[in-house]
Amino acid sequence: MNHRFLSVVGMAASMAFATACSTSKPVVESSTTPVPVATQTITVADSVPAWAPKKHQFNPSRTLENDILHTKLRVSFDWEKQHLLGLVEITAKPYFYPQNKLILDAKGFDIHGVNLMKGYDGTPLKYEYDGQKLTIVLDKTYNREEKYVVEIDYAAKPNELPKGGSDAITEDKGLYFINPLGKEPNKPRQIWTQGETEANSAWFPTADTPNERMTQEIYITVDPKFTTLSNGSFVYSRQNADGTKTDYWKQDLPHAPYLAMMAIGEYAVVKDKWRDKDVNYYVEPAYEGTAKKIFGHTPEMMEFFSKKLGVVYPWDKYAQVVVRDFVSGAMENTSASTFMEDVQLNERELLDKHWDNIIAHELFHQWFGDYVTTESWANLPLNESFANYSEYLWNEYKYGADEAAYHQMDELGQYLNEAQTKREPIIRYHYADREEMFDSHSYAKGGRVLHMLRKLVGDEAFFTSLNTYLTRNKFSAVEIAELRIAFEDVTGQDLMWFFDQWFMQPGHPELKVEQNYSNGQLNLHVVQTQDTVYQPVYRLPLQIAVWANGQKTTHPIVIDKAEQTFSFPVATQPQLVIVDAEQQLLGTIEHQKTDQELLYQFYNAQHLTPKLEAMQELEEKVDNPEVLKMMQAALKDNYWVVRSAAVSALDNLKEADRGKVEEEIKRLAVQDKRGAVRADAILLLAGWGRGKYKAIYEQGLNDSSYVATAASILAYASTGAPDVKARLAKFDQEKNEEVVLALANYYALQGGPDKYGWFVQHVKEGNGSVLYYMLQSFGAYLAANPQANTSEAIDLLADIARNHSQYYVRASAYQALFILSDKPEVQALIQEIKANEKDPRALNMYNGL
């Protein structure tokens, strides 16, 4: 499952919830350059670091008493009540020891009857039900060779369950009715499911644990206007006498219950193919024309991953479906992945971004997570670290070394940011809630650790070991030891040290490097400065790159002590030394360099990370002629991220020196092939001269890129020209999020009373990060326009603050209400909302106001 998100609208507002929003991020043309920096150790009064691992209960895999072999499910729906009406047949047998009871997870059901089935004949069975567990008393004691079939007639009522969820998966009610009564004119009617972690038992009885596996059949009865999707193969559709239809889906290969899925809606199904398998994309009809441009790399990914792993994609088909109001970023249901609506892009939006990372991530899960599944949530990284690393593999293959390196820099930055307040082992059996496993440790850190493992053993051994792991453990549940053993069996090495320090221990190495040169000898003094009360002293095989007389030499070293010195013969004073020449280390390196060394690093390092590091370190000295020359070279770099970083650095340039780069910035603002670079250049010019470059902003308002257009809206608004309102009003019907939020930024203070309806419309239609931003702007607008503080506006904000599924959106609505708290009725309202809020993250935000 992929849970990360990065919006391209950062130009309009700061992203206060960046570490809390846990959906997926697109590959966007954004000027954000994630150069990792050393983390600061945050401590509390008693000197225990804020990130110190917490003590929690031990969480093993579930003990299996009965083994569910097959689930046959017949479902129909009461849209008005938002109930599922189900009849399920479960084929099971004792796992090993004789059993006379079957205990199933079944959350919030009405149980109408339970029968033991012999063919078509049913015999009622006694049962007990507490609203969470259904305990069925079997007709006798069965041994492990005896199968039995139990039929359960029930109704699932997901909306009546207690609310739960996490950063990663914002709700856990399993089954979702979207616009069930059709009262929301701009939203389709849909039903979809979300099983991870243990929410599928909210819509069918099962053993809801990742170490169970079953085959399945699902018969879905709906109105004929709806298209259905489920796991496995579509067998047939039958028209019923009452005017409904029943679609029959069957999966013959076993998978974990949390991977079962349904999606129902009025979809355009765009058909594709990989080898002899159907590859279909289920999108809203408005996006039928761009579906292949959004998902069209899927067949190529399937071929690439199948060959790379030496294991052919194992399932009957592969489908990808987009749903409204999804509670996460995407989900790797077996043979049928679900995606949030953000992935639907029109032709113009596709100029700025693509979703290859999330598409690759969910596809790779079909091997790592579905074909081979974690046995417990403690071992979740065996699913998620691999899916995260697939993003690097795809970028490396499809888009080249710079794009792959940029992706890994982002991954490292995510982990280091989280590590300021949380450091746990990647594989961790001790946690308070299984949802805690869905974090940057399991995803970003895990993916980077796999890259280090690849560098350690070499490419051939790495992918041969993955093949062994997948082949040996197919259709089974695994723990981390099985991955280690596969690598050891292939390489002949004892890798316990690597797996222990990286998977089983918390934290990361923090290196401080000092160098000196004398008498033909380069000495590197390396100290591991991390707090070893909580973190290990690491064993780190690294490469040291040394440039002298314009020549590069590379030296392998192994850092394995808290403090040690390495010496190398070098004929002359080194021009540059880079520790970790391959840029593979998950950790931080403090290594002071002179300006001349950093300049040399920019021109010679031949890797994106040290190039961007040099630019970042020198951006405050951009008035230095040599640094300015470097930035001018960066403006012409082949990779867009370097060009964007250079544009951002030039914001520090003194006015007297701007003429040296002005023409190049103007050229980039109009002609750069990347919308993000054009946007950055436009915003730089707006900071330099506001009205001076008005003609460029005017041209940018018609740019093909939404990102550049949004930047031009902000830049043109900054000129104060008399026609600003008239020009911007032409964008009022635009739906693109970059443009909408740029307008909201301006209208918040300058829109006037006539923009009230515009704000209300976009607040009602917004979702996720866009709604979060929009509510902030709406709050500012209401403060600037007291006449707009109507009961309608207050009721709208109160409804979102009470009921929105995402806590940061509720908090943003609460913040907007807080601005109006001079009204007595609003004071009472915010107190009531705060009193009823259960999420501590939202309450922390409320308490900060």
Side-chain angles (χ1 to χ4, degrees):
M1 183 174 242
N2 194 313
H3 308 296
R4 295 170 298 138
F5 185 86
L6 177 63
S7 174
V8 296
V9 296
M11 66 183 74
S14 63
M15 197 168 192
F17 72 99
T19 61
C21 183
S22 302
T23 52
S24 297
K25 68 174 184 185
V27 177
V28 297
E29 296 195 348
S30 168
S31 59
T32 304
T33 305
V35 179
V37 295
T39 58
Q40 293 182 329
T41 299
I42 302 173
T43 59
V44 292
D46 61 0
S47 298
V48 175
W51 47 257
K54 307 301 187 289
K55 293 182 179 180
H56 297 296
Q57 64 182 4
F58 180 72
N59 295 279
S61 60
R62 186 185 297 192
T63 298
L64 299 177
E65 295 176 338
N66 288 278
D67 188 9
I68 294 180
L69 305 174
H70 184 72
T71 297
K72 181 187 289 187
L73 185 59
R74 302 177 190 274
V75 298
S76 60
F77 306 95
D78 184 329
W79 287 80
E80 185 173 355
K81 294 181 179 179
Q82 300 182 52
H83 291 179
L84 176 148
L85 310 177
L87 185 69
V88 63
E89 288 185 7
I90 295 174
T91 303
K93 69 178 184 64
Y95 195 84
F96 185 85
Y97 300 105
Q99 302 292 334
N100 61 6
K101 291 182 180 179
L102 172 63
I103 301 175
L104 299 170
D105 299 297
K107 300 184 178 80
F109 294 167
D110 288 337
I111 304 294
H112 302 310
V114 179
N115 290 288
L116 181 73
M117 302 302 294
K118 301 289 187 183
Y120 293 103
D121 296 326
T123 303
L125 294 173
K126 294 180 180 180
Y127 63 89
E128 295 179 357
Y129 182 54
D130 64 3
Q132 295 289 313
K133 299 281 188 182
L134 176 62
T135 302
I136 300 169
V137 180
L138 300 174
D139 62 322
K140 67 170 190 173
T141 298
Y142 288 79
N143 65 46
R144 68 178 185 270
E145 304 298 330
E146 293 180 291
K147 299 178 184 179
Y148 56 87
V149 179
V150 171
E151 177 193 78
I152 305 165
D153 185 1
Y154 69 98
K157 304 177 294 182
N159 288 350
E160 297 176 28
L161 291 170
K163 285 190 176 181
S166 65
D167 284 349
I169 308 166
T170 57
E171 285 189 290
D172 61 355
K173 61 184 183 180
L175 176 69
Y176 299 81
F177 289 78
I178 306 303
N179 192 16
L181 302 181
K183 292 183 177 180
E184 298 177 74
N186 298 310
K187 184 175 288 186
R189 297 176 73 208
Q190 295 176 349
I191 298 172
W192 47 264
T193 63
Q194 165 54 34
E196 195 174 37
T197 50
E198 297 176 7
N200 271 346
S201 52
W203 63 277
F204 69 94
T206 190
D208 209 348
T209 174
N211 59 336
E212 180 62 277
R213 295 187 90 87
M214 66 184 192
T215 54
Q216 71 182 47
E217 299 168 83
I218 301 183
Y219 297 81
I220 306 171
T221 298
V222 290
D223 189 301
K225 69 180 180 181
F226 291 120
T227 298
T228 70
L229 174 65
S230 189
N231 314 94
S233 298
F234 177 72
V235 182
Y236 65 70
S237 184
R238 181 186 67 226
Q239 300 301 310
N240 302 318
D242 62 358
T244 62
K245 70 167 183 175
T246 298
D247 289 352
Y248 173 35
W249 293 85
K250 184 179 182 183
Q251 179 166 299
D252 292 324
L253 297 175
H255 69 160
Y258 79 89
L259 297 167
M261 69 83 68
M262 295 185 299
I264 298 160
E266 296 183 70
Y267 286 109
V269 182
V270 178
K271 297 185 176 181
D272 212 338
K273 208 81 173 175
W274 174 73
R275 296 189 185 180
D276 62 342
K277 295 182 186 289
D278 290 333
V279 179
N280 296 334
Y281 318 128
Y282 291 66
V283 296
E284 293 175 29
Y287 295 92
E288 183 175 9
T290 54
K292 277 201 175 180
K293 292 185 178 180
I294 298 166
F295 292 107
H297 285 150
T298 302
E300 186 179 357
M301 290 178 183
M302 295 172 78
E303 186 69 19
F304 170 63
F305 291 144
S306 292
K307 288 182 175 178
K308 204 75 173 171
L309 297 170
V311 177
V312 174
Y313 174 82
W315 308 104
D316 293 340
K317 59 116 180 17
Y318 190 53
Q320 293 167 102
V321 60
V322 180
V323 303
R324 287 294 185 102
D325 299 342
F326 197 45
V327 293
S328 189
M331 179 63 203
E332 67 274 12
N333 315 297
T334 309
S335 80
S337 292
T338 308
F339 293 83
M340 61 183 176
E341 66 203 79
D342 302 62
V343 303
Q344 294 183 139
L345 304 174
N346 61 35
E347 291 280 359
R348 190 175 172 192
E349 288 169 327
L350 283 162
L351 297 175
D352 289 329
K353 59 186 175 184
H354 65 77
W355 289 97
D356 273 17
N357 281 346
I358 188 173
I359 292 168
H361 183 110
E362 306 311 325
L363 175 60
F364 212 60
H365 267 311
Q366 302 298 315
W367 287 269
F368 295 90
D370 298 6
Y371 191 58
V372 176
T373 309
T374 178
E375 71 161 14
S376 65
W377 301 117
N379 282 273
L380 178 70
L382 291 174
N383 294 2
E384 296 301 347
S385 298
F386 279 105
N388 239 51
Y389 192 51
S390 75
E391 301 172 30
Y392 176 87
L393 294 173
W394 175 252
N395 278 300
E396 182 183 47
Y397 160 78
K398 186 67 176 178
Y399 299 111
D402 281 346
E403 198 70 33
Y406 182 57
H407 178 76
Q408 279 215 317
M409 291 171 64
D410 180 45
E411 298 284 286
L412 179 58
Q414 285 180 53
Y415 163 70
L416 291 178
N417 182 65
E418 183 173 87
Q420 294 186 57
T421 56
K422 175 182 182 178
R423 299 186 194 182
E424 300 282 349
I426 297 179
I427 303 295
R428 49 194 185 274
Y429 290 91
H430 297 269
Y431 55 75
D433 189 312
R434 60 180 177 266
E435 302 296 336
E436 295 173 7
M437 291 298 302
F438 294 85
D439 59 9
S440 288
H441 286 60
S442 292
Y443 288 76
K445 182 180 182 181
R448 287 287 307 233
V449 167
L450 289 175
H451 186 65
M452 288 191 293
L453 181 57
R454 178 185 174 188
K455 289 293 183 181
L456 176 68
V457 302
D459 271 23
E460 185 178 359
F462 181 77
F463 290 106
T464 301
S465 298
L466 295 189
N467 176 276
T468 298
Y469 169 77
L470 290 170
T471 304
R472 183 180 288 172
N473 299 298
K474 63 183 179 181
F475 305 118
S476 68
V478 292
E479 57 182 304
I480 188 65
E482 285 155 299
L483 180 66
R484 174 181 57 80
I485 290 168
F487 270 84
E488 291 181 340
D489 287 351
V490 167
T491 65
Q493 299 180 31
D494 185 338
L495 294 171
M496 180 65 83
W497 67 270
F498 182 94
F499 279 77
D500 179 64
Q501 74 178 19
W502 288 114
F503 286 100
M504 308 307 296
Q505 300 290 332
H508 57 270
E510 300 170 41
L511 306 183
K512 184 175 183 180
V513 179
E514 295 178 347
Q515 70 179 71
N516 65 75
Y517 176 79
S518 62
N519 301 320
Q521 193 91 345
L522 170 66
N523 298 306
L524 293 181
H525 183 67
V526 182
V527 180
Q528 296 194 42
T529 63
Q530 68 271 10
D531 188 340
T532 55
V533 172
Y534 304 97
Q535 303 163 110
V537 173
Y538 286 86
R539 176 180 174 184
L540 304 173
L542 295 176
Q543 298 283 334
I544 306 297
V546 180
W547 282 263
N549 288 327
Q551 299 296 313
K552 175 186 175 183
T553 56
T554 304
H555 306 275
I557 65 168
V558 177
I559 302 170
D560 56 6
K561 296 180 177 62
E563 185 173 357
Q564 58 198 125
T565 299
F566 301 91
S567 299
F568 314 98
V570 181
T572 61
Q573 176 73 40
Q575 295 159 293
L576 175 66
V577 177
I578 292 182
V579 177
D580 185 23
E582 296 177 296
Q583 302 300 308
Q584 56 138 333
L585 181 67
L586 179 106
T588 63
I589 301 175
E590 181 186 340
H591 184 190
Q592 295 296 321
K593 295 173 185 174
T594 66
D595 290 356
Q596 285 304 310
E597 287 172 322
L598 289 168
L599 288 166
Y600 193 90
Q601 179 171 303
F602 172 84
Y603 291 111
N604 295 277
Q606 298 179 326
H607 191 284
L608 180 67
T609 305
K611 180 181 286 190
L612 291 175
E613 178 191 53
M615 294 175 66
Q616 183 187 55
E617 290 293 321
L618 293 171
E619 65 180 5
E620 297 294 333
K621 302 178 180 180
V622 71
D623 294 307
N624 179 304
E626 288 300 311
V627 174
L628 181 57
K629 182 180 178 182
M630 178 193 75
M631 293 299 181
Q632 288 174 301
L635 290 174
K636 298 179 181 179
D637 197 272
N638 289 330
Y639 188 46
W640 67 272
V641 170
V642 177
R643 300 197 301 276
S644 277
V647 171
S648 298
L650 291 172
D651 187 49
N652 297 308
L653 193 61
K654 291 180 181 177
E655 187 172 356
D657 291 325
R658 291 173 185 170
K660 298 175 183 178
V661 294
E662 182 181 28
E663 289 305 312
E664 182 62 18
I665 298 300
K666 289 163 64 176
R667 186 190 68 78
L668 292 174
V670 176
Q671 298 180 12
D672 195 276
K673 60 185 178 181
R674 288 281 187 156
V677 180
R678 298 198 297 275
D680 287 341
I682 288 166
L683 291 173
L684 177 63
L685 293 174
W688 280 0
R690 296 186 181 273
K692 181 180 179 182
Y693 307 102
K694 181 181 172 185
I696 291 176
Y697 314 152
E698 289 180 298
Q699 184 173 344
L701 292 174
N702 298 311
D703 199 290
S704 59
S705 161
Y706 278 123
V707 173
T709 297
S712 299
I713 287 171
L714 294 171
Y716 196 82
S718 74
T719 66
D723 65 344
V724 167
K725 285 189 178 181
R727 279 188 176 273
L728 299 195
K730 295 178 181 179
F731 296 96
D732 278 0
Q733 301 307 310
E734 180 58 65
K735 302 296 185 184
N736 175 265
E737 62 186 38
E738 284 87 7
V739 172
V740 167
L741 291 176
L743 290 174
N745 188 285
Y746 174 71
Y747 289 156
L749 298 179
Q750 304 295 330
D754 61 324
K755 295 304 177 185
Y756 173 77
W758 182 89
F759 270 107
V760 169
Q761 175 191 351
H762 285 286
V763 167
K764 288 181 176 179
E765 294 177 359
N767 64 80
S769 63
V770 176
L771 180 55
Y772 172 88
Y773 283 130
M774 182 57 64
L775 287 166
Q776 291 189 338
S777 293
F778 189 36
Y781 173 82
L782 294 174
N785 295 273
Q787 70 275 24
N789 299 341
T790 64
S791 59
E792 178 193 33
I794 293 169
D795 289 346
L796 177 61
L797 291 172
D799 180 63
I800 296 171
R802 288 189 184 108
N803 300 315
H804 199 278
S805 62
Q806 293 167 316
Y807 81 90
Y808 58 87
V809 174
R810 296 198 303 276
S812 191
Y814 180 92
Q815 183 180 27
L817 281 171
F818 195 84
I819 294 172
L820 311 179
S821 60
D822 58 329
K823 292 177 173 285
E825 68 272 25
V826 176
Q827 288 182 17
L829 189 60
I830 61 177
Q831 291 301 318
E832 175 256 314
I833 291 170
K834 183 176 180 180
N836 289 305
E837 176 60 61
K838 304 301 182 187
D839 194 308
R841 298 164 300 180
L843 289 171
N844 285 338
M845 297 174 77
Y846 298 169
N847 292 331
L849 294 175

